[in-house]
Amino acid sequence: MQIKAHAYSGHLAAPSSKSYGQRLLVLTALSGQTCQIDKLGKDRDTQAMKNALAVLCNKENINHSPLVDVGESGFALRTLAFVARYFSASYQLTGRGTLMQRTHFATIDLLEQLGLTVVHHDGKLPLQISGAIARTILEVDGTEGSQYVSGLFLLAAKYPGNWQITIKNLNSRPYFEMTLAALSQFGFVYQQNGETYSFEGAQQLSCASMQVEGDWSGVAAHLVGAAIRGKIKVSGLNRLSLQPDQNLLKVLARFGAKSEWINGKLMILESQDKNPFDFDCTQQPDLFPVLAVLACAAKGKSTLSGIHRLKNKESDRLKAMCAALEMWGIGYQIQEDKIEIQGTGQIKSVKINTYNDHRIVMASCVASLLCTEGQELEDASAIEKSYPGFIEDFLRLTQA
């Protein structure tokens, strides 16, 4: 697919947050009651979560070992690996695409710490999980991220026991806080003392209705594109959102772009200076691909740190973006946990391998703003995972 872009202009209604929507789906299933969820996304990951929960909630599967297909959703895998134990004493998890090639040792280790038995293939799917929960006093290592920690809390809220969970070295903490906030909206009660959370399980959860807020991860590419060239107005975003990708606004300010909230809508105006910037991606690794493009647009050396979080995603995002930087003719240097990118304000028009990664697709589209002939994407179908309408929105907003 050949992508050409002139400059950003116009209005965008933010797509729904799949991170928030998936949490609400899980909580509704756990509550056993009806919750009206407005503005639920139509992306592939959200649909995968709905389908997986339908299997778990099917009463015909209670005395069987249901096969739960999470599609390509890492969040569905790492949460349902735990939540499924509430519905069934034995179950199998499988998936599709690149999720089948990724290792899941952090999730497996925590399941085994609970006392469950996990049969796996060198840390990869499928996982066969069975057994009884033997421990409710746990110390959890959150180095690999927060999704499996969220899964543990979602299960523990409904599973009988006197729970005491201490979390060490938690990465992507804002996403865990999003889980706690969603649980609280469903009536979950807990006590926190530092990194230790204490609560009684088997709590009654309920919520009559919820609305899914806009997705900061989804609009990030558009905001970066407008900061590079043009302007955009975005509606549907929560200014006080717990989503960590809203930290993008701090980066765009350093880059020299102007942002302003007007009547609940976010305005981004192009940077005239194109300043280089530094940013730590540790807590928001999904921003890395598009920030690498922003660094190309800057006039000078930008530094992105926290690159250790990029390997076990939908692709090895560091490897993927370094390959793109080389083809674009952009110099870079990797030192320990950071990459320095020497921006020039323009790149070469090339054919990009998107590695079946939706974030690489978005970043490659934005990169087309930096060259007259645009970029050719080998495969853009991965965009269905999180934001099916991205290409359509991008072309609408960037055509002269």
Side-chain angles (χ1 to χ4, degrees):
M1 173 183 285
Q2 187 70 29
I3 298 290
K4 289 186 178 182
H6 175 66
Y8 265 85
S9 180
H11 169 260
L12 173 72
S16 298
S17 167
K18 71 184 181 77
S19 297
Y20 193 38
Q22 285 181 298
R23 283 164 171 80
L24 296 182
L25 287 171
V26 173
L27 284 164
T28 299
L30 285 170
S31 75
Q33 301 182 39
T34 300
C35 175
Q36 177 64 43
I37 304 176
D38 295 325
K39 296 189 176 180
L40 190 65
K42 299 179 181 179
D43 56 276
R44 202 158 55 195
D45 277 4
T46 297
Q47 189 59 51
M49 178 66 89
K50 289 177 68 175
N51 294 342
L53 288 168
V55 171
L56 290 172
C57 292
N58 185 342
K59 290 182 170 54
E60 294 181 3
N61 291 325
I62 290 178
N63 297 318
H64 299 83
S65 183
L67 175 62
V68 183
D69 186 346
V70 299
E72 295 183 77
S73 174
F75 180 78
L77 168 64
R78 297 182 190 100
T79 53
L80 296 186
F82 297 88
V83 169
R85 182 59 188 81
Y86 175 72
F87 296 97
S88 179
S90 175
Y91 48 97
Q92 185 175 4
L93 290 168
T94 189
R96 302 180 189 181
T98 58
L99 194 62
M100 298 297 289
Q101 306 305 316
R102 295 155 70 179
T103 57
H104 309 287
F105 286 113
T107 299
I108 293 167
D109 290 346
L110 185 52
L111 288 165
E112 292 178 337
Q113 192 177 340
L114 278 170
L116 300 175
T117 299
V118 185
V119 179
H120 57 93
H121 305 273
D122 296 322
K124 296 179 180 179
L125 296 177
L127 306 181
Q128 179 69 47
I129 303 167
S130 60
I133 292 177
R135 286 180 284 278
T136 58
I137 299 177
L138 304 163
E139 183 171 300
V140 179
D141 181 7
T143 303
E144 295 299 317
S146 67
Q147 291 183 348
Y148 54 92
V149 183
S150 287
L152 172 62
F153 272 70
L154 289 164
L155 167 63
K158 288 296 293 181
Y159 201 91
N162 184 8
W163 291 86
Q164 182 176 301
I165 304 172
T166 301
I167 308 172
K168 300 289 187 181
N169 309 313
L170 183 61
N171 276 317
S172 296
R173 177 179 291 276
Y175 283 111
F176 171 65
E177 292 175 348
M178 188 190 303
T179 299
L180 284 181
L183 273 163
S184 296
Q185 288 171 315
F186 273 73
F188 178 61
V189 178
Y190 65 95
Q191 294 77 44
Q192 180 180 357
N193 183 10
E195 300 296 345
T196 299
Y197 299 79
S198 304
F199 53 91
E200 288 295 328
Q203 295 190 25
Q204 294 297 312
L205 302 178
S206 66
C207 186
S209 64
M210 292 292 294
Q211 180 174 298
V212 182
E213 64 182 50
D215 186 20
W216 281 91
S217 299
V219 304
H222 297 303
L223 301 183
V224 167
I228 292 172
R229 187 164 298 157
K231 59 184 178 180
I232 193 172
K233 179 190 295 184
V234 183
S235 60
L237 292 174
N238 179 2
R239 187 174 185 176
L240 302 177
S241 175
L242 293 174
Q243 297 177 56
D245 285 1
Q246 71 159 317
N247 287 324
L248 174 65
L249 294 182
K250 299 176 184 177
V251 187
L252 298 184
R254 294 170 197 154
F255 182 69
K258 290 182 171 56
S259 64
E260 185 178 6
W261 291 91
I262 302 176
N263 297 326
K265 297 180 177 65
L266 176 63
M267 294 281 296
I268 298 291
L269 300 177
E270 174 183 347
S271 167
Q272 300 303 311
D273 299 321
K274 308 292 193 294
N275 301 317
F277 58 91
D278 297 342
F279 186 71
D280 185 353
C281 296
T282 301
Q283 303 300 329
Q284 44 268 311
D286 286 348
L287 289 178
F288 175 79
V290 76
L291 287 182
V293 174
L294 187 67
C296 293
K299 298 176 181 177
K301 183 178 69 177
S302 297
T303 302
L304 299 175
S305 56
I307 58 176
H308 69 281
R309 296 293 314 283
L310 305 174
K311 189 172 183 63
N312 201 27
K313 304 293 285 185
E314 283 82 348
S315 68
D316 182 335
R317 287 178 176 163
L318 179 63
K319 180 180 178 181
M321 291 310 297
C322 284
L325 291 171
E326 290 170 8
M327 289 189 292
W328 289 335
I330 297 294
Y332 69 89
Q333 184 175 5
I334 297 175
Q335 295 182 347
E336 298 179 343
D337 196 34
K338 65 182 181 181
I339 180 171
E340 297 174 344
I341 300 174
Q342 189 66 40
T344 61
Q346 58 184 6
I347 61 174
K348 297 177 181 177
S349 177
V350 299
K351 186 175 183 178
I352 295 292
N353 184 345
T354 58
Y355 296 90
N356 196 35
D357 189 329
H358 56 136
R359 304 295 176 196
I360 305 296
V361 174
M362 295 181 194
S364 299
C365 288
V366 175
S368 66
L369 291 164
L370 296 175
C371 53
T372 56
E373 297 302 315
Q375 299 289 311
E376 182 180 353
L377 280 59
E378 284 189 4
D379 182 6
S381 62
I383 205 65
E384 298 291 328
K385 176 178 173 62
S386 63
Y387 186 171
F390 176 81
I391 299 291
E392 179 182 348
D393 284 342
F394 178 82
L395 295 176
R396 173 180 61 84
L397 292 165
T398 60
Q399 302 308 303

